[in-house]
Amino acid sequence: MSNEKEYIELFEQNRTLVESNCSALLNGARSTAFESFKVAGFPTPKEEKYRYTDVRPIFAENYGMNLGRVAAPINPKEYFSCDVPNLHTLQEYIVNDTYYNNTEKDGLPEGAILGSLNTIAAQHPEILAPYYNALASKGDGVTHFNTTFVQDGIVLYIPRNKKAETTVQLMNLLRTNVEMLFNRRLLIILEDGAEASMLICDHAVEKIKTLSVQVAEVFLGCNASFDLYELEETQAENRRINQLFVRQQAGSRFNHTNITLTNGVTRNSAHVSLEGEGAEVNMYGLAISDKQQQIENNTLVDHLVGHCTSNELYKYVLDDSAKGVFAGKMLIRKDAQQTVSHQTNRNLCLTKSAHIYTQPQLEIYADDVKCSHGSTVGQLDENALFYMQQRGIPKEEARHLLMFAFAGEVIDAIKIDALRERLHILVEKRFRGELNRCKGCSLCK
């Protein structure tokens, strides 16, 4: 446990500094998480969930950590502007792992709260206390590590029967000139009947080795509805571990789309608990990887009660020596009668050196259910390529068209028209190897 020992000593030596910058709510969960981390340590490949991605070497790098809360020397509003045509969002920023204050809250209903996790935890502990770390406390060593060191993040709270008319867009911006490790925390609470949507965009500025550890907790009350879109466009030097925990009550609806366009090593995990009858979850994923990139999506949908619905569709397009992993499990417990659950993983390996490891799973203890799962792995259809070339389409263009058609099913599930259209363009450019820059954005200049 050499890696764990160094982080344990780091926290013990800097505990006063860390806690001095944080609210009582964060510090209260921190103490318990630290004890859990000391026992659990980082997961190993011996654990089924981490069979294909060993996180220990990732944490073994000699990263710095911003425990003293030194502000990043940029104004993200001036440095980064997302100007997608017809996409109207309420833009929020986290620079590295610190929330950047934004006073503009247009589009939020009365009583809604949006802003810094640390600040709001101090201002409204009565709202956040029943939720913060309620799901993450049951996580693994990476989750406990995040809770131990995290000092900020973002909160979105929508009161009962209220609707956020404008999509919240959270920009996670990595800006550093030294190798750094960043911890972020997201807490999303929608009370009964509430509605909201969020777009999370991850961007890295410099080509410097970084590790981002993000833990998100989502709580959906009865008949609440939440759409979450995640888009990663980072660098080959970036390592990203992203954990999502969701609890759904009766009649709630959760739609999640996770798209990875450029990255280094990424591990996304999602644990969704359906705890009320009539709850519905739809999860979509698209990963486009080449060179030495690695991307894993690891999901667990836990059907605890009956009459719930879940649907998963994850697609990978892998080129060069890229590595993809999909591990999805649908757990149907004995009281979850009348469950409808479907899981699909489809993969394109464009070269012999690209690898996909796929592990769809069904674990059923109820006898009145409709469930299916499946996985396919293949290359581009040579007959289709030949057919298109016979009609005057160059081979490379035909390859791009087939890849784009393959990815389209995931993109078309996005409900926001402007975002869906933009992603069609970004994915096409990604397949063509073209860099793309949003108007007004200085990241890619």
Side-chain angles (χ1 to χ4, degrees):
M1 292 182 63
S2 59
N3 297 348
E4 291 89 340
K5 182 179 179 181
E6 293 177 3
Y7 285 112
I8 290 169
E9 292 176 351
L10 177 67
F11 180 73
E12 290 175 337
Q13 294 168 3
N14 293 275
R15 183 166 190 161
T16 301
L17 173 63
V18 172
E19 294 185 342
S20 67
N21 292 312
C22 293
S23 65
L25 181 60
L26 269 64
N27 288 335
R30 193 186 316 280
S31 297
T32 304
F34 180 53
E35 296 304 317
S36 297
F37 176 69
K38 288 196 292 185
V39 174
F42 292 119
T44 74
K46 293 181 180 180
E47 300 178 41
E48 186 65 24
K49 286 180 62 177
Y50 286 85
R51 180 180 176 184
Y52 299 106
T53 302
D54 189 355
V55 299
R56 294 172 303 168
I58 296 176
F59 282 95
E61 299 287 344
N62 187 24
Y63 299 105
M65 296 180 70
N66 186 16
L67 303 181
R69 299 288 84 195
V70 178
I74 64 169
N75 181 341
K77 291 184 179 182
E78 297 177 354
Y79 197 80
F80 180 86
S81 174
C82 183
D83 191 10
V84 177
N86 301 316
L87 180 62
H88 304 291
T89 60
L90 175 55
Q91 297 184 2
E92 298 284 303
Y93 301 87
I94 291 181
V95 180
N96 296 332
D97 54 10
T98 303
Y99 175 80
Y100 183 87
N101 186 41
N102 182 12
T103 58
E104 299 175 7
K105 306 297 180 185
D106 294 339
L108 292 182
E110 182 180 358
I113 299 174
L114 175 64
S116 163
L117 169 65
N118 187 41
T119 300
I120 294 171
Q123 295 174 344
H124 300 284
E126 73 286 355
I127 295 178
L128 270 56
Y131 300 100
Y132 179 71
N133 209 45
L135 300 179
S137 61
K138 302 176 179 63
D140 54 35
V142 173
T143 325
H144 302 319
F145 173 87
N146 175 273
T147 308
T148 298
F149 282 99
V150 74
Q151 294 176 278
D152 206 359
I154 195 168
V155 172
L156 173 63
Y157 165 77
I158 306 295
R160 182 184 180 95
N161 295 326
K162 298 291 186 178
K163 179 180 180 179
E165 299 292 343
T166 304
T167 298
V168 176
Q169 183 177 6
L170 173 61
M171 268 78 77
N172 289 326
L173 306 180
L174 299 180
R175 177 77 191 280
T176 178
N177 54 11
V178 295
E179 296 181 359
M180 293 288 290
L181 187 158
F182 302 114
N183 280 290
R184 297 189 296 264
R185 198 62 171 257
L186 279 63
L187 181 59
I188 298 163
I189 306 164
L190 273 65
E191 292 188 338
D192 295 352
E195 296 183 38
S197 60
M198 176 179 280
L199 167 61
I200 302 176
C201 303
D202 276 45
H203 297 280
V205 181
E206 288 90 358
K207 294 183 178 181
I208 294 175
K209 187 174 291 185
T210 58
L211 170 57
S212 302
V213 183
Q214 177 175 291
V215 174
E217 296 177 286
V218 177
F219 297 86
L220 303 182
C222 295
N223 300 311
S225 180
F226 184 54
D227 296 337
L228 176 62
Y229 307 101
E230 297 191 69
L231 174 64
E232 181 179 3
E233 292 182 278
T234 56
Q235 306 277 2
E237 293 76 14
N238 184 235
R239 306 293 182 262
R240 181 174 183 260
I241 301 177
N242 182 33
Q243 295 187 327
L244 171 66
F245 299 89
V246 183
R247 175 182 289 170
Q248 294 186 235
Q249 302 301 331
S252 61
R253 294 165 298 281
F254 177 54
N255 297 309
H256 181 225
T257 302
N258 196 327
I259 296 179
T260 303
L261 292 183
T262 56
N263 73 311
V265 177
T266 297
R267 186 182 189 276
N268 299 313
S269 64
H271 183 163
V272 180
S273 299
L274 304 176
E275 301 185 4
E277 290 194 354
E280 176 183 344
V281 56
N282 297 288
M283 303 174 68
Y284 302 91
L286 174 63
I288 303 172
S289 295
D290 55 15
K291 302 180 179 65
Q292 303 293 325
Q293 296 168 0
Q294 178 176 333
I295 170 69
E296 174 175 353
N297 286 293
N298 192 297
T299 69
L300 169 61
V301 178
D302 191 352
H303 287 259
L304 292 146
V305 298
H307 301 277
C308 293
T309 302
S310 65
N311 177 59
E312 292 184 67
L313 173 62
Y314 284 80
K315 291 190 170 187
Y316 292 68
V317 181
L318 306 176
D319 203 351
D320 299 328
S321 298
K323 174 184 174 181
V325 178
F326 172 77
K329 182 177 181 178
M330 295 182 293
L331 175 59
I332 319 297
R333 299 182 184 266
K334 64 178 181 179
D335 294 328
Q337 305 295 343
Q338 296 289 306
T339 288
V340 177
S341 184
H342 302 288
Q343 181 187 83
T344 304
N345 172 227
R346 295 174 183 156
N347 309 282
L348 281 179
C349 290
L350 303 178
T351 64
K352 292 182 179 180
S353 57
H355 291 87
I356 179 70
Y357 301 87
T358 177
Q359 190 180 27
Q361 301 176 72
L362 266 175
E363 191 171 331
I364 304 175
Y365 298 97
D367 54 15
D368 184 11
V369 300
K370 294 181 181 180
C371 299
S372 67
H373 72 304
S375 175
T376 61
V377 180
Q379 296 181 325
L380 292 175
D381 189 333
E382 292 295 333
N383 290 329
L385 282 172
F386 179 77
Y387 178 87
M388 296 170 75
Q389 290 178 80
Q390 288 295 97
R391 277 145 185 81
I393 301 175
K395 184 177 181 179
E396 193 64 21
E397 180 67 17
R399 292 179 76 255
H400 291 150
L401 289 173
L402 289 176
M403 289 188 291
F404 186 66
F406 176 81
E409 189 177 1
V410 172
I411 302 172
D412 288 340
I414 295 172
K415 296 181 179 180
I416 303 173
D417 293 341
L419 177 60
R420 183 174 62 251
E421 293 170 5
R422 186 61 171 176
L423 282 170
H424 274 300
I425 295 173
L426 288 176
V427 168
E428 182 179 7
K429 288 181 175 291
R430 175 67 174 89
F431 284 141
R432 297 180 186 280
E434 301 174 8
L435 293 176
N436 187 72
R437 179 173 61 85
C438 299
K439 180 182 178 182
C441 170
S442 61
L443 285 179
C444 302
K445 282 184 178 178

